[in-house]
Amino acid sequence: MGDALTVLGSRLGFAWDPVNRQSYLVRHGNHPGLPIQIRAGVTLGERVLALPLAQEGQSFEFVDQEMTATTMTLSGIDPETGIHVKLTARIPFRPRDNFFSTVPVIYMNLEVNRLPSSYRWIAQYDETVEGKLFLGFSGEGFAFSPALESNAGIEAVYESVVLRPLDEGDHQSGIRTEEETIPCRDHIAILSGAWEEDCVTTSFSLGKGMKGDSLSLAWCAWDQPVLNVLGHRSPFKYTQSFAALDQVVDWSIRHADEVMDNSEKVDRILSNHTLGESTSKLLAQTLHAWLLNTWWVVRENGQDWFTVWEGNCYFHSTADVEYTQGPFYLAFWPELLELELNEWPFFGKDGKRLLGERAEGTLYLSHDMGVFGDSTKQYYPHEMEVEESTNYILLAFAHWRRSGKDATIVRHSAFIRKLMAFIVCCDTTGNGIPDKGCANTVDDASPAIQYGSEQVYLGVKSLSAIQAGIQILRHAGDADAKELEVYEQFAQTALATIEEKGWLEDHYAVTLSRTMDGTVDPWTGEPKTGELLGWDAYHIYTVNGLSLLDMVGHCTGLLDERVRLDMETATGKTLGRYGCRHTSYEDTENEGQFIPGLASHSGKVGWVSMNMLRDIAAAYRGLDLFHLIENYWSWQTTTNTQQVALFFETFYGNNLSFYPRGVTVFGYLDAAAGFVYDAVAGKQSFAPVRGSLQVPILLFADWEKGTVPLVKSSFEDGRLTYRVE
């Protein structure tokens, strides 16, 4: 299946598409990258056997594949000779280690051995097998030659292309771009093997069960500034440690063994659980997809700037996407979330743009902070005013409580206060549920889900955000008693309204409103009237605003027995082959907009990461939905065995591929253990969702040593118990 492995924030990696015998070099442009042929295999007399990463050569009869957090592997077996080759790509990735994880080098290692006995029922002859192992690259637009300054390396010369958005006000019909060509001159260090014509090679002579020499390369890069941040080209993070390409090359040679040792430690920690092989695969695959989208640079004032492309939409750090990835950051790498929390306030907008004078002094958050090669302003064509504002507050609150660091909330308390004021202003009826600014991220769903007024989804997020914001403002001392009283009253009213008017016997409604009167289609700007079909349907979004709060132990006051029943019934009503679709209502009118790269409507589409966020909230309420991981992994294998797409977010429609949002699955580990951690209050607790469970607590991992606390549960005398080792 298709896969890719990319260095964090440094725009260097490889993607491969074995079913189509194609590979790609990941650099600065669109996914999956620059077409390149990875030629890896053996020459056995007149026969040339190659892994399916290039058009040349005969394919091995049997091909197998593996992926871990830090590697991707492809292997092949020739039954006639028993020759087995294995190609491993590897990156220097160590969570929470900024330097090590951003070194712009990716390793390739090709091994050969001979099976000790016959493969299946195919007889293997006894004579010694002699041949040549080869590893090299080729492709249109690439030139490879021995480096003049070194006998131990190859120079790779080619051109990369980055898209720049044209600065226009209207992006309703798509984003117009222009291409910028970037000349690249990389260096491939030869760690083992010898350069011969156009490949690195080594000969072998193997009897049964013997292992031959391996070939090892390190592809190194060093770029001039590419990403435009707020009007200035910003150098990559790694340039703080490496002044030129030759320093990267030197590091890659000296630290090859350390990188391999690190892989074993990191991969072992992440696989040390009992949630099943599909969970392990999704932890690796979604991390690979997230890495593919990352940019890490340094502004002219020395401030780090970290952003994540929104998959094949290419928006930078889309707030709703990063919110869904919140469990990943909280469990795995909180410091990266902190960087984004310090960046989003640059993209606040005046609340009067939506609400007029009643929103004087308020702000709402932009959808994104740029697109393609520019991180300068929002480029998505419509706002998601309430949703993105709540997303920021919830992320800031959860980060503060998880990390114990208050610098971000203190620094941006005034921004948070203005977001809170805006959210309150969007409730024009006084019932605590916003009825303005309700367009949201679910842009391929029915009108009720996507932009219906008085959504329960946004009502719960607003309730949660205002409660979180109150705690932030009290801590920062940035609001008077009268203002806090207004927010407290809003939260109390919202809670009462959701429970009294949003509950429909066995589930929460999609919206409180039953008509489209007063709503505006965010894509066309046209006012809508008439019946709001699907307002009372089952849906999976009630708990979307709760999962991050669950991780830090904050309770909103919503009735847990209702919330649990809502998840149980909605899951049953919306579950399909690959997961739960947005809602039980099927929109047959199909009036949604189709804008290439932005939106695609579908009658019963579902998003995998939103399922995952629901699963996390479910586990914190004792409801075990982790078996659905099999459905999600089935969709990933279905798509990626036809083309390289990495994490494919959407099923039954739409085309959100190469998406970073799947890393939400990292929250499964904490949720399965019922791990709640509030560093500010000094509280920590566990409540495993099932017996015979083992999961690592990644927040407390020592990645350099390769150690991590494990939560293990079991039943003793009919009672669920646990211990932490």
Side-chain angles (χ1 to χ4, degrees), residues 611-683:
N611 278 254
M612 292 174 172
L613 207 58
R614 182 271 322 274
D615 298 345
I616 291 169
Y620 277 106
R621 287 160 183 81
L623 178 60
D624 189 346
L625 297 178
F626 292 133
H627 60 282
L628 295 177
I629 197 84
E630 304 298 335
N631 301 60
Y632 314 150
W633 181 241
S634 178
W635 176 239
Q636 302 311 312
T637 58
T638 297
T639 54
N640 280 279
T641 49
Q642 299 178 62
Q643 64 188 71
V644 56
L646 270 79
F647 181 72
F648 208 120
E649 171 75 292
T650 50
F651 52 86
Y652 298 144
N654 212 332
N655 188 42
L656 301 185
S657 54
F658 299 101
Y659 237 60
R661 196 156 49 186
V663 289
T664 310
V665 73
F666 277 72
Y668 275 30
L669 302 176
D670 280 12
F675 174 54
V676 173
Y677 183 65
D678 183 344
V680 177
K683 294 181 179 180

Side-chain angles (χ1 to χ4, degrees), residues 391-498:
N391 287 336
Y392 183 88
I393 297 170
L394 290 170
L395 283 168
F397 175 79
H399 175 268
W400 168 44
R401 307 304 294 198
R402 264 268 164 151
S403 68
K405 298 169 60 177
D406 67 356
T408 297
I409 61 163
V410 171
R411 176 181 175 184
H412 300 298
S413 61
F415 179 68
I416 291 169
R417 192 174 89 238
K418 291 178 180 179
L419 295 179
M420 294 170 65
F422 175 80
I423 293 167
V424 171
C425 281
C426 285
D427 166 28
T428 66
T429 67
N431 68 354
I433 310 300
D435 55 286
K436 300 296 181 183
C438 295
N440 63 48
T441 182
V442 194
D443 58 11
D444 54 10
S446 65
I449 288 285
Q450 185 186 165
Y451 58 86
S453 65
E454 297 189 320
Q455 297 170 30
V456 168
Y457 163 49
L458 291 184
V460 173
K461 292 194 88 165
S462 297
L463 162 67
S464 302
I466 294 300
Q467 288 182 344
I470 290 170
Q471 291 195 41
I472 289 173
L473 296 186
R474 281 181 173 151
H475 179 81
D478 197 22
D480 57 33
K482 185 176 181 180
E483 185 178 3
L484 289 174
E485 184 179 345
V486 171
Y487 294 138
E488 288 170 346
Q489 183 59 50
F490 176 90
Q492 292 170 10
T493 303
L495 181 60
T497 300
I498 292 169

Side-chain angles (χ1 to χ4, degrees), residues 8 27 43 92 149 225 272 299 394 407 482 496 520 538 592 635 698 720:
L8 173 65
R27 293 303 266 125
T43 301
E149 70 278 7
N272 202 354
R299 295 182 61 205
L394 290 170
K482 185 176 181 180
V520 175
Y538 298 88
W635 176 239
L698 302 181
L720 183 63

Side-chain angles (χ1 to χ4, degrees), residues 243-285:
L245 178 59
D246 60 343
Q247 294 182 12
V248 178
V249 174
D250 180 63
W251 187 95
S252 74
I253 296 170
R254 290 187 293 107
H255 294 272
D257 290 341
E258 180 188 355
V259 171
M260 181 174 294
D261 180 62
N262 172 79
S263 282
E264 294 175 358
K265 293 174 181 176
V266 172
D267 297 342
R268 183 174 60 248
I269 286 176
L270 288 174
S271 63
N272 202 354
H273 63 82
T274 56
L275 291 176
E277 183 66 8
S278 292
T279 299
S280 292
K281 296 302 186 197
L282 271 168
L283 287 170
Q285 187 227 21

Side-chain angles (χ1 to χ4, degrees), residues 578-627:
Y578 300 119
C580 293
R581 59 186 190 270
H582 299 315
T583 171
S584 60
Y585 169 72
E586 291 191 26
D587 184 7
T588 57
E589 297 182 5
N590 201 23
E591 294 180 349
Q593 294 288 307
F594 170 70
I595 303 175
L598 294 177
S600 176
H601 190 76
S602 178
K604 57 177 184 178
V605 70
W607 292 4
V608 175
S609 72
M610 296 301 195
N611 278 254
M612 292 174 172
L613 207 58
R614 182 271 322 274
D615 298 345
I616 291 169
Y620 277 106
R621 287 160 183 81
L623 178 60
D624 189 346
L625 297 178
F626 292 133
H627 60 282

